[in-house]
């Protein structure tokens, strides 16, 4: 691993693609070099679809006042300037699908030209060029049809798309596959040698939320409480049968949230935050038992709000930054969708992670 | 706990002091009511000193171009507008000391008028009024002499200042006492049933860093690696004898940091981030072994940079948001200072958490 890499000794982390600032990792960099020529361990993908993460899509949509032309221009501008699709406000990206065009002679990913793949790392660190002006994107969904190319590094995780699931479904599942995997691990640990834990899922009718709810139950949760913001989602979630208790509460209202979770059987030993709106840190902490754990998956999470909020409430809770990588995460999530009709139903009905206004986020399916 | 509280049924979390937005916790609120009249479970303190947190002090100093008058005006402006000292950019605050002036009839904190106390929750949620225009503050230290009053809620943690330690020393220790307590817990867990873990402390010559290094060793670390940015701090740290290996590296340069830690005996099973500059997330993750844990104490930590960075490197590491509250944290930190001459020496020498430019941060002692 060296920053003075020359073609022939590229870094598996992609350090050789960083233009500025020097020495940064690709995710932290302002600008990457997205040129199509491969380093020996790289793989080039012809991109057919981006899946913007929910927090980024919402921010861009709000900033564009919902106008598709402005939204297209914003995304094109970011990619042209930064060499990657990383929203400068949220810091987040999303993922992509495409077809492998060329694999370098030392590429370790096991991909061959023609493979249909999805990346499992964020667009925020993936060199990207868009060549079609996003002409086919109507701006109303976070799934963005496009043409162009992307570069995968030696250590970039990508997976061949499963043959038995429709591409938009697989993409939507893979986009959030870190959440059920980490939830499963934490719930298993919480239940070790004790009572099966109470688990609260904030945003349980969304993509990462429904997968996490199913994963929590399989990992041995004693009670799964699903929190949603309004009646429509509550009915959908109840029908899906993924949780034991459905609670309607605003996750941004700490006192109300904590009281609702308590009334449903809480406080929770494990609270999973899948609501992509700011301001949910305090409520999540307050809904969690002393000695419990909060997993933050929302990219709208504020580090300082969580740290200082817990301290301010004298709350002895373990707070985890939701790492999107857990070994085996893609397989675990795809299996949940295959085996849990409730999860599949929610995904196929196009329920999005959006919980503030119930705006559907997967209209393309 | 209710938002429609009337005098007589205040919330132990201080919800009744929130002016806007309604329903927010005091830490998340934009503006608090700092009026001196007490609710039954509250305690009023006559403030004699604020201790701004390092990230906030640095940001304010940079924004003021280092001019004391501008710095004073900035702090006064924030407190007047928000009813608390919460830096709007960093979201962080600090802590305070003072003398108990009045305790409400139902105050559960066990404090009496005349007690000299320090708050152990952030200024970012503590109602505060400053009455002396900060005339005694020279603007060159994060320790701010001042006159005014602050309100403690029923659940606000505060501690009577120890009689055997000088006040500035005790204050500096209590300000960061969550770090050694959580480090101790995580290192103990990491060592359970296996090899004593390797622990890397980024910013080991600073306040939270030196305490965390001492705590890690006492909790059973097999090897403690202290990372500092330059030779002067390296010599200071080596003399203090708190770590087994001293490494000079820029924590913002991921590849260089990881290589330095590796060469010193890493990767680490536990990495503790005490460097209050942005951009350390990737390096911390890269310096940590698969299956290891990173504890982020720096308020300059970016949630999305940590989450997406770990994912982007396919790093299976547990990432903790450094909760400032762990039961017994104040006692543990004060005991470390009493018993570890190396820690006490660093604190008394005025070594600050600043690691970018070695600017001393505790000149007042």
């Amino acid at each position: 691993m060296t920053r003075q890499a020359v073609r022939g000794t590229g870094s598996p982390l992609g350090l050789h693609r960083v233009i500025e600032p020097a020495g940064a990792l690709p995710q932290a960099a302002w600008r990457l070099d997205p040129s199509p020529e491969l380093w020996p361990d790289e793989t080039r993908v012809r991109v057919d679809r981006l899946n913007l993460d929910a927090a980024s899509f919402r921010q861009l949509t709000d900033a564009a006042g919902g106008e598709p032309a402005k939204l297209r221009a914003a995304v094109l501008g970011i990619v042209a300037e930064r060499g990657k699709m990383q929203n400068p406000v949220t810091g987040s990206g999303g993922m992509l699908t495409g077809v492998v065009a060329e694999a370098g002679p030392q590429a370790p990913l096991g991909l061959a030209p023609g493979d249909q793949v999805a990346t499992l790392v964020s667009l925020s660190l993936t060199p990207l060029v868009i060549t079609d002006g996003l002409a086919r994107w109507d701006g109303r969904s976070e799934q963005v049809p496009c043409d162009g190319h992307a570069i995968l590094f030696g250590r970039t995780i990508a997976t061949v798309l499963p043959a038995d699931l429709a591409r938009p479904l697989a993409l939507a599942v893979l986009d959030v596959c870190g959440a059920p995997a980490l939830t499963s691990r934490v719930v298993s640990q919480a239940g070790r040698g004790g009572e099966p834990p109470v688990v609260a899922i904030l945003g349980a009718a969304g993509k990462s939320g429904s997968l996490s709810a199913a994963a929590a139950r399989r990992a041995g949760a004693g009670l799964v409480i699903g929190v949603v913001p309004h009646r429509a989602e509550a009915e959908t979630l109840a029908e899906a049968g993924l949780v034991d208790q459905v609670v309607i509460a605003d996750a941004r209202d700490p006192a109300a949230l904590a009281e609702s979770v308590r009334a449903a059987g809480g406080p929770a030993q494990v609270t999973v935050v899948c609501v992509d709106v700011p301001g949910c840190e305090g409520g999540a902490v307050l809904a969690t038992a002393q000695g419990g754990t909060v997993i933050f998956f929302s990219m709208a999470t504020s580090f300082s709000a969580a740290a200082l909020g817990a301290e301010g409430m004298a709350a002895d809770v373990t707070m985890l930054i939701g790492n999107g990588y857990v070994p085996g995460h893609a397989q675990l999530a795809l299996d949940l969708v295959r085996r849990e009709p409730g999860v599949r139903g929610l995904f196929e009905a196009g329920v999005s992670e959006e919980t503030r206004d119930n705006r559907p986020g997967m209209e393309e399916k």
Side-chain angles (χ1 to χ4, degrees), chain A:
Chain A
M1 193 158 27
T2 165
R3 288 158 52 192
Q4 278 77 42
V6 292
R7 277 278 202 280
T9 57
S11 145
L13 298 172
L15 296 172
H16 54 279
R17 290 274 186 174
V18 173
I19 296 179
E20 65 169 295
L25 289 169
Q27 200 273 333
W30 177 253
R31 194 154 63 98
L32 302 180
D33 167 15
S35 59
E37 295 75 26
L38 293 183
W39 291 54
D41 68 345
E42 292 181 338
T43 301
R44 189 176 61 254
V45 172
R46 180 167 177 180
V47 180
D48 55 33
R49 185 180 291 258
L50 308 178
N51 193 30
L52 305 183
D53 81 278
S56 174
F57 179 67
R58 161 167 293 165
Q59 190 277 328
L60 289 165
T61 300
D62 289 351
E67 290 184 36
K70 282 191 184 172
L71 201 49
R72 274 193 292 269
V75 172
L76 289 168
I78 290 170
V79 174
E81 184 178 349
R82 306 194 66 174
K84 58 178 177 175
M85 179 52 213
Q86 181 178 27
N87 183 320
V89 177
T90 63
S92 56
M95 56 184 297
L96 63 83
T97 57
V99 178
V100 173
E102 183 186 355
Q106 294 162 30
L109 299 176
L111 301 174
D115 282 349
Q116 303 211 345
V117 297
T119 55
L120 297 181
V121 301
S122 173
L123 287 176
S124 64
L125 56 86
T126 304
L128 176 68
V129 171
I130 294 174
T131 53
D132 70 345
L134 300 180
R136 288 177 293 141
W137 184 36
D138 65 7
R140 288 188 298 190
S141 161
E142 71 247 29
Q143 295 208 9
V144 182
C146 75
D147 199 358
H149 76 260
I151 304 295
L152 312 186
F153 307 130
R155 206 161 147 180
T156 294
I157 314 173
T159 191
V160 174
L161 286 162
D164 63 328
L165 297 173
R167 178 175 291 207
L169 174 60
L171 182 54
V173 172
L174 292 171
D175 181 34
V176 294
C177 66
L182 186 53
T183 298
S184 177
R185 178 188 282 182
V186 171
V187 170
S188 295
Q189 289 169 344
R192 220 168 267 166
E195 291 287 302
V198 174
V199 179
I201 312 278
L202 312 188
K207 292 193 289 183
S208 56
S210 60
L211 282 166
S212 297
R217 186 175 273 177
R218 288 190 169 228
L223 177 73
V224 180
I225 302 169
V227 180
V228 292
H230 48 60
R231 184 172 302 272
E233 281 199 20
E235 288 169 2
T236 306
L237 181 60
E239 271 173 37
L242 297 174
V243 302
D244 303 300
Q245 294 281 337
V246 177
V247 163
I248 300 177
D250 184 343
R252 295 164 301 177
D253 185 332
L257 176 68
E259 175 52 27
S260 301
V261 170
R262 195 201 56 72
Q269 272 79 52
V270 179
T271 299
V272 184
V273 182
C274 298
V275 181
D276 267 325
V277 293
C280 301
E281 300 86 359
V285 168
L286 206 53
T288 306
Q290 293 286 92
T293 300
V294 181
I295 318 176
F296 291 100
F297 286 113
S298 165
M299 282 299 153
T301 302
S302 159
F303 180 89
S304 61
L308 299 177
E311 178 189 287
M313 294 184 279
D316 180 20
V317 296
T318 297
M319 296 185 288
L320 297 179
I321 297 174
N323 183 349
Y325 177 70
V326 175
H329 59 343
Q331 205 53 49
L332 184 144
L334 291 169
D335 281 353
L336 282 173
V337 166
R338 290 188 182 108
R339 298 184 189 183
E340 295 277 358
V343 174
R344 185 158 187 161
L346 280 176
F347 271 76
E348 293 189 332
V351 172
S352 82
E353 287 189 43
E354 320 279 339
T355 56
R356 186 169 55 190
D357 52 12
N358 204 28
R359 177 176 53 196
M362 297 171 63
E363 302 90 323
E364 304 226 339
K365 284 190 308 189

